[in-house]
Each structure stands twice: as C-alpha cells, then as structure tokens.
Amino acid sequence: AVVAAAGGKLDLPEVLRQCEEVGCVVHVLPDYFQAALSRPSLDRFGEMAFLTFSATPSAPLALAVKRGMDLAGALALLLAAWPLFVAIPLLVRCTSGGPALFRQERIGRNGRRFRMYKFRTMVAEAEALRDALEPYNEMDGPAFKIERDPRVTPVGRVLRRYSLDELPQVWNVLKGDMSLVGPRPPLVQEMVHYERWQRRRLSMRPGMTGLYQIRGRHRLGFAEWMRCDLEYIDRWSLLLDLKILLRTAPEVLKGGGA
C-alpha cells in the first residue's frame, strides 16, 4: 500500500508512524512543505535523509562548468587587454596623482566580505567627500549615484563610459571572489539597509556583469535592479550566462557605462 500526504492538512508524523506499523511505503509531495521559490531535493548525511530546500541553483556540474568559464574568460580578457593594464594606470597617475588602483570592501556570496579592485576614476579623497554629496543622490534606495559626480576625473569619465575601470575585477574572478556574470557586489553600507527579500541576491557569487547591466543599468531604479538580480538567480543557466556576456560586449562598445 502507498500513502501520499499533500496540502498540509494531515498530521504527517502520525501518518508516518501508522504506515510504519503496517509496513506501508509513504510518498510525500514536496508541496506539503509549501515554499514559494525553493526547489526541494533529497540529500543524505550518513544514515540520515534530509529534504533540502534551496532558492538558488543546485546543479553542481553546471556550477563547476560556470567556474571553468570564469577562469577561462578572465584569463582571455587579461591576455587580450594587457596593453590597457599598462596604459591606464600610467594615465591615471599622470593626470590625477595618487594610486591607480582603487580597492573597496564589498559583500560577496552569503555575506562574505572581500576587496574589489577597480582603476581609480575619482579624486584621491573621494570617499571622504561622499557624505557631503548625499543630498544630491539621484538613486532611490540605499544605493548612491550622481550622473555628473564632481569627484570623477576627466580620465575617469572616459574609463567609466566604456567600463574600462572594471577591468581589474578579472583578478577577483581568478581569486574566486567574483564571477564573470552575477549580481553586482554591494557596498557594506548599502547591504545593511536591504529589505529581507533583497538579501537573496547575495546567495550567488557576484559578477562583473548581469541582467541589470544589459537592461539599462543606471537608468533603472533600485527596486528594479534588485528584481533583475533575483530573476537572474531564479532563471540561471549556462546559456543565460552566455547570452548576458554576448549582450554585454555591444553595451560596453557603445559607451553605455556611467
């Protein structure tokens, strides 16, 4: 005999006990444990079985291929763009003084902090000037964005327009802090203001590009940005990553950055 429990109306422990007594096999629909987004799977730890719910992709082989694509893509970008890795630091130092590389603490997968690298596009004391510019913030939510930010140098504007300031993040990809495709890593001060539903975007490794970047980037509001990232997580596949990478290239070439 087979007993199936669904709908959340049965006393499941009692059903299991009674079926064990008469030797019945019990099949439980995953929908018995109602979850809006999580996908169930059965895992074992020794002699114990667990019904596992995950709202993030749980495809070990595909995720391993994604990591391989990250390494291959980052190395290819590093080799192809090596003249820029030489010329841009010299240009930044000669035109604005200070270090050519900007390091900033960001939030990665599952809330882990790491240092993200960029070519510096602002004046050396830019971080100290942010509080004074807060009244001019043009982005809703906890993010900060000013289209004509006075801290950005002339060279920095060009680098930002063509996303050349993001090139050093290939080191973050090689280190495993980031992926080529994924949600952008937030600042610490932004993340603490997230609503609970927005924190799920931290469940995947952050990326250099993503749905947000190819759908309008700075022209989108903060809530729409968050929805793009969650849509990416819910729809994730290797094919989706390839599509995003292919659409990122023309966006960069036409100067869609800011």
Side-chain angles (χ1 to χ4, degrees), residues 58-197:
S58 55
L61 180 58
L63 290 171
V65 173
K66 175 179 172 67
R67 179 59 184 153
M69 289 170 53
D70 286 341
L71 293 173
L75 286 172
L77 185 58
L78 188 61
L79 292 174
W82 72 264
L84 294 175
F85 281 95
V86 175
I88 292 176
L90 292 175
L91 191 60
V92 171
R93 290 183 66 88
C94 290
T95 57
S96 63
L101 202 62
F102 177 66
R103 301 171 179 86
Q104 190 175 52
E105 189 173 54
R106 296 288 182 116
I107 303 295
R109 184 183 179 188
N110 297 327
R112 187 176 68 85
R113 300 188 182 194
F114 70 96
R115 287 197 173 276
M116 190 184 77
Y117 306 111
K118 299 177 72 173
F119 286 128
R120 185 169 58 83
T121 60
M122 294 185 175
V123 295
E125 65 277 13
E127 292 289 280
L129 298 173
R130 172 170 169 164
D131 289 345
L133 295 172
E134 193 67 44
Y136 306 100
N137 184 17
E138 298 169 1
M139 176 68 84
D140 59 331
F144 181 84
K145 190 75 175 180
I146 301 177
E147 185 175 354
R148 301 295 296 179
D149 196 318
R151 301 172 298 169
V152 179
T153 65
V155 168
R157 294 196 185 281
V158 177
L159 296 180
R160 286 183 165 214
R161 182 176 181 182
Y162 294 98
S163 300
L164 295 175
D165 59 317
E166 311 280 359
L167 283 176
Q169 287 162 38
V170 297
W171 294 111
N172 290 118
V173 175
L174 292 173
K175 289 170 57 183
D177 296 325
M178 294 178 62
S179 174
L180 292 177
V181 184
R184 287 296 290 169
L187 294 166
V188 177
Q189 59 265 37
E190 292 175 355
M191 192 273 293
V192 296
H193 295 292
Y194 277 9
E195 296 179 28
R196 189 171 63 182
W197 68 271

Side-chain angles (χ1 to χ4, degrees), residues 162 209 214 243-256:
Y162 294 98
T209 186
I214 65 174
K243 288 180 178 179
I244 292 174
L245 288 172
L246 290 175
R247 288 185 59 185
T248 296
E251 285 291 326
V252 170
L253 292 175
K254 73 179 184 182

